[in-house]
Amino acid sequence: MNDKLVFLGLLYFVQGIPYGLQSLLLPVYLRGAGHSLTHIGLTKILYFPWVLKVLWAPLVDRVGTKRCWLVATVSGLALTCLSSAALAPEAHIWGVVATLLAMNALASVQDITVDGAAVGLLKGRSELGLGNMAQVVGYKAGSVFAGGGLLAVIDVAGWGPMFMLLAFVYFGVALFVWGAPVLDNELLRGQAEGRRGVQSDAVHPWRVWRKLLSVPGTPWTMIYVLTYKLGEQGAVTMFPLFLLDHHMTARELGFWNGVIAMCFSICGSSLGGLLLSQFSIGSLMRRVFVMRTVSMVFQSSLLTVLEPSPLMKGMAVLSLSIQHFLGGLITTLTFTTMMHCTQRAEESVQATHYSFLSTLEVMGKLMFGALAGGLVDWVGFPTAFLLFLVLSAGTALHIWKATDTGALREQPK
């Protein structure tokens, strides 16, 4: 089990690096350069390859091996970083945009492959909880490393050396994957053999979609992953920029939001994995979603304070920490729910099924995150955060109903 966790955690770590660059480093960099919140929000379009990944998931399911796909995508990420190191964002902004878009495309293919491996490797409630903890913690650690740590030192190290460092990290992971014994597991080979018997699905792709949608619990899970982060995503995206406008410098924000708050997120994700081995997922989700709604009430109240002060800065850091802690916990619970649903599917479509659910999850966050900046520019921070709060409360009610009568209801023993 330890080998599985190390393998999954490391791959999700490098997969989180592009997200950290774009969600934590790039917005602060652009805001410091004087760009509007609407323009910053539109950078979410760079995540578009994640929305399309379900289109090439069947190809990853049926062509080649997981080892080959992983080595190719991680090596591609290393080469992309080398290209970005040669560009100065002030003079070659479109070149930087192209490299970030390429990083997202490669990371999305890597994600399909790692998710498929995880579905086959993790068995039982305990392994699912710990495996998804490794997934979320690894991904968030990569985000902290790229978006928090590098943001704190970019003024000293510079853009080029920062991407050179990332290239060496990716090349090292590619070598690790090439020799990883966990990919020799007989279960994964068995799945590869099973895929040879379903080539007709490639000719008739609608058969794959019928299989995906017929998996028990899929319709409810689709709605859930599209909506569960809407209010939180708006707050997570906009509250740091409110602090940048009124209370913190870019370096302070890089430390408190990019490092400290994300460390709380990692702690929340880790706790989620441990709690899942002891308690039912339905009872955990009911409590955590109510707590998230209460935390958003607290954060929204801070928007009324515009004068900088040590007290306000401390309350803002507390709000960010609670928000990221609960967000990390919810993410682990969500990805465990998704994987549990996927394991009910046929082995030949499991990677595609999980990619489909994770695509919807990204789509829900991406669409709202892209619109959040324009919404704040239009109606202001207080009104926008009221909408975020309503969306968060609505999700809590959705979960509460599902644990009573729906997909998360506990079955009598």
Side-chain angles (χ1 to χ4, degrees):
M1 183 59 192
N2 288 336
D3 290 344
K4 299 177 186 178
L5 294 180
V6 171
F7 174 78
L8 294 174
L10 183 59
L11 283 169
Y12 283 117
F13 174 87
V14 296
Q15 190 177 303
I17 289 175
Y19 178 80
L21 289 174
Q22 291 174 220
S23 66
L24 300 175
L25 187 147
L26 192 61
V28 175
Y29 182 88
L30 293 177
R31 189 61 171 173
H35 291 269
S36 71
L37 296 175
T38 301
H39 289 161
I40 294 172
L42 290 176
T43 61
K44 298 288 184 181
I45 295 173
L46 292 173
Y47 294 120
F48 195 63
W50 290 87
V51 178
L52 299 179
K53 72 174 186 174
V54 70
L55 299 179
W56 47 75
L59 179 67
V60 177
D61 249 342
R62 292 170 172 78
V63 178
T65 64
K66 288 180 171 60
R67 191 188 304 274
C68 289
W69 280 107
L70 288 173
V71 171
T73 52
V74 176
S75 299
L77 285 163
L79 294 174
T80 305
C81 287
L82 287 178
S83 300
S84 190
L87 302 173
E90 298 84 0
H92 306 95
I93 185 62
W94 291 111
V96 172
V97 167
T99 57
L100 291 175
L101 188 64
M103 289 183 74
N104 276 301
L106 290 166
S108 69
V109 178
Q110 178 199 340
D111 181 62
I112 296 168
T113 312
V114 182
D115 288 344
V119 169
L121 286 168
L122 303 174
K123 298 299 178 183
R125 189 175 73 173
S126 178
E127 283 200 3
L128 274 178
L130 293 175
N132 280 281
M133 177 186 73
Q135 173 188 9
V136 177
V137 169
Y139 191 88
K140 289 181 181 294
S143 299
V144 171
F145 170 71
L150 295 182
L151 178 62
V153 302
I154 189 172
D155 290 339
V156 178
W159 182 272
M162 181 182 75
F163 273 92
M164 287 292 293
L165 172 62
L166 292 180
F168 282 115
V169 170
Y170 278 122
F171 277 129
V173 173
L175 291 174
F176 169 79
V177 173
W178 183 257
V182 71
L183 290 178
D184 298 331
N185 189 283
E186 289 296 326
L187 175 60
L188 297 180
R189 286 204 296 267
Q191 289 178 336
E193 291 169 2
R195 288 196 293 270
R196 299 188 188 112
V198 294
Q199 295 300 319
S200 61
D201 287 341
V203 182
H204 305 285
W206 288 110
R207 293 181 182 178
V208 176
W209 286 103
R210 283 198 297 268
K211 289 180 180 179
L212 296 182
L213 297 176
S214 65
V215 175
T218 296
W220 182 90
T221 307
M222 289 169 57
I223 296 172
Y224 167 71
V225 298
L226 271 171
T227 59
Y228 84 107
K229 281 277 189 180
L230 290 184
E232 178 188 326
Q233 186 67 18
V236 166
T237 303
M238 291 294 111
F239 189 68
L241 299 181
F242 168 80
L243 297 178
L244 185 65
D245 286 349
H246 297 285
H247 299 285
M248 291 187 183
T249 65
R251 179 165 293 185
E252 287 176 326
L253 194 60
F255 176 72
W256 291 114
N257 186 55
V259 178
I260 300 301
M262 289 301 292
C263 287
F264 273 91
S265 180
I266 291 171
C267 291
S269 299
S270 302
L271 180 62
L274 297 175
L275 290 176
L276 280 169
S277 63
Q278 303 294 327
F279 304 99
S280 70
I281 192 167
S283 62
L284 287 173
M285 291 177 78
R286 285 175 67 154
R287 291 164 174 78
V288 175
F289 273 83
V290 171
M291 293 169 64
R292 185 183 72 173
T293 303
V294 173
S295 74
M296 288 195 64
V297 172
F298 170 59
Q299 185 173 87
S300 299
S301 69
L302 299 179
L303 299 174
T304 61
V305 182
L306 300 181
E307 292 298 323
S309 69
L311 177 61
M312 172 58 192
K313 188 174 293 186
M315 298 298 281
V317 170
L318 176 63
S319 175
L320 287 171
S321 300
I322 294 173
Q323 181 182 62
H324 281 77
F325 178 83
L326 294 175
L329 181 51
I330 287 172
T331 301
T332 295
L333 298 179
T334 297
F335 278 86
T336 302
T337 300
M338 291 162 54
M339 193 165 289
H340 180 67
C341 180
T342 291
Q343 289 185 332
R344 301 170 187 163
E346 295 180 14
E347 288 186 356
S348 61
V349 296
Q350 282 185 345
T352 303
H353 185 274
Y354 192 84
S355 294
F356 173 58
L357 293 178
S358 59
T359 295
L360 294 179
E361 196 262 350
V362 171
M363 188 182 298
K365 295 189 295 187
L366 176 61
M367 289 189 301
F368 198 78
L371 297 174
L375 180 65
V376 171
D377 278 340
W378 180 37
V379 300
F381 278 102
T383 304
F385 268 70
L386 179 60
L387 175 60
F388 301 158
L389 178 58
V390 170
L391 290 171
S392 181
T395 306
L397 290 174
H398 179 57
I399 292 295
W400 199 275
K401 181 179 179 181
T403 56
D404 281 339
T405 61
L408 296 178
R409 181 168 60 90
E410 293 185 38
Q411 301 295 328
K413 296 182 180 180

